[in-house]
Amino acid sequence: MDDLILETRDLSKDFKGFTAVNRVNLKVRRGHIHALLGPNGAGKTTCFNLLTKTLAPTSGRILFNGIDITSQRPSQVARRGIVRSFQISAVFPHMTVLQNVRVGLQRATGTSYQFWRSERALNVLNERAMQLLEEVDLGSFADRVVTDLPYGRKRALEIATTLAMDPELMLLDEPTSGMGHEDVERVTELIRKVSAGRTVLMVEHNMAMVAGISDRITVLQRGAILAEGDYQTVSTDPLVVEAYIGAPQEPQRREVA
């Protein structure tokens, strides 16, 4: 369909007899926030690794904008506009917030690996870098060294560096992992904000977090799709409830002497 930006067809990944992803047929619509949920070990991150080609699928196909990218390398996929963040914050800790975003912006100039370029030569990127920092509410932190940032702000910075790569499809891997309630709320609103005019596919295990921002949710269990639909549909699905909470136990009878 014309509004599909990403599609997988029977996507599978085996590891020495263990099936981590099992015939997954995923359809991500352009302009949507699509969440990939599931309990620990459901295959969410493995699926992400297949989409960004850090893992090769055992079988199946991946289509981006209707083009088969199954056999393409990670660098080719990134150049097509699929950009990913990671569960563990992947920023340069001893550089400033502004400098981190400039590294992402260097890709568009063809100088991504020229870290020896002078500070003055990179100043032309400052205006755009500040625009991105303002977009993720980090404008006042521009000159702070990343190691001094609270954890939630580091995740916001990672989203800014992802935006700097000008993605057509943003893949966010557990963006609220390890956060307290206040940071979860802040990053959730941030994702809602930056998703305007973009497509977001995110891995999460926290159903409550995606409830208010996801257009569609796919729930995985043991590598296969368990349920799919909007939040109301998947949150009331008996199989999803059992996967997250566990099967209800019969009450034990107490013997009365």
Side-chain angles (χ1 to χ4, degrees):
M1 296 177 65
D2 291 341
D3 62 344
L4 289 183
I5 188 171
L6 180 74
E7 180 182 5
T8 67
R9 298 178 181 173
D10 290 333
L11 190 64
S12 299
K13 181 63 180 179
D14 297 332
F15 294 99
K16 296 182 179 179
F18 169 70
T19 301
V21 174
N22 186 13
R23 298 176 67 95
V24 167
N25 292 296
L26 185 66
K27 291 181 169 70
V28 179
R29 299 193 183 282
R30 194 178 313 278
H32 278 195
I33 299 178
H34 193 128
L36 196 60
L37 269 69
N40 290 334
K44 305 183 301 294
T45 296
T46 301
C47 192
F48 252 35
N49 289 337
L50 294 172
L51 296 177
T52 53
K53 307 314 305 297
T54 49
L55 283 176
T58 304
S59 60
R61 299 171 63 200
I62 304 168
L63 286 81
F64 181 64
N65 284 325
I67 298 171
D68 193 327
I69 62 169
T70 312
S71 61
Q72 294 190 353
R73 297 187 301 274
S75 59
Q76 293 174 303
V77 170
R79 281 195 292 270
R80 286 193 178 276
I82 301 177
V83 181
R84 173 191 180 172
S85 74
F86 290 85
Q87 184 174 349
I88 299 173
S89 187
V91 290
F92 297 103
H94 301 296
M95 295 170 63
T96 68
V97 169
L98 179 69
Q99 289 169 337
N100 266 269
V101 178
R102 286 197 319 204
V103 170
L105 289 171
Q106 280 184 257
R107 173 179 175 241
T109 68
T111 60
S112 300
Y113 302 105
Q114 297 180 18
F115 297 109
W116 60 86
R117 288 172 65 87
S118 70
E119 183 79 9
R120 182 179 300 174
L122 295 176
N123 282 344
V124 294
L125 302 175
N126 286 353
E127 182 177 356
R128 178 57 181 153
M130 285 302 302
Q131 289 174 351
L132 290 170
L133 290 177
E134 293 292 347
E135 191 169 348
V136 298
D137 301 322
L138 285 177
S140 61
F141 294 83
D143 296 325
R144 293 270 293 273
V145 176
V146 172
T147 51
D148 297 334
L149 289 182
Y151 180 68
R153 298 291 186 178
K154 288 179 183 176
R155 297 314 301 252
L157 174 58
E158 189 173 31
I159 291 174
T161 59
T162 303
L163 292 174
M165 305 284 283
D166 195 23
E168 189 172 354
L169 173 63
M170 293 179 63
L171 274 60
L172 304 179
D173 192 355
E174 299 209 18
T176 64
S177 176
M179 290 184 183
H181 180 71
E182 183 177 337
D183 280 338
V184 168
E185 288 188 347
R186 179 185 295 116
V187 172
T188 300
E189 288 306 309
L190 174 59
I191 293 170
R192 188 200 308 275
K193 179 180 177 182
V194 302
S195 68
R198 301 183 177 97
T199 306
V200 176
L201 175 63
M202 64 178 175
V203 160
E204 258 298 337
H205 65 275
N206 185 341
M207 188 175 289
M209 176 266 176
V210 302
I213 65 170
S214 296
D215 298 292
R216 191 166 183 84
I217 298 170
T218 300
V219 182
L220 293 181
Q221 185 183 39
R222 299 186 181 127
I225 292 180
L226 182 66
E228 198 165 48
D230 59 18
Y231 174 74
Q232 181 63 29
T233 299
V234 300
S235 65
T236 56
D237 188 304
L239 294 176
V240 175
V241 174
E242 182 177 334
Y244 269 84
I245 301 174
Q249 300 294 316
E250 290 292 331
Q252 295 183 349
R253 295 182 180 178
R254 296 182 62 182
E255 296 292 337
V256 180

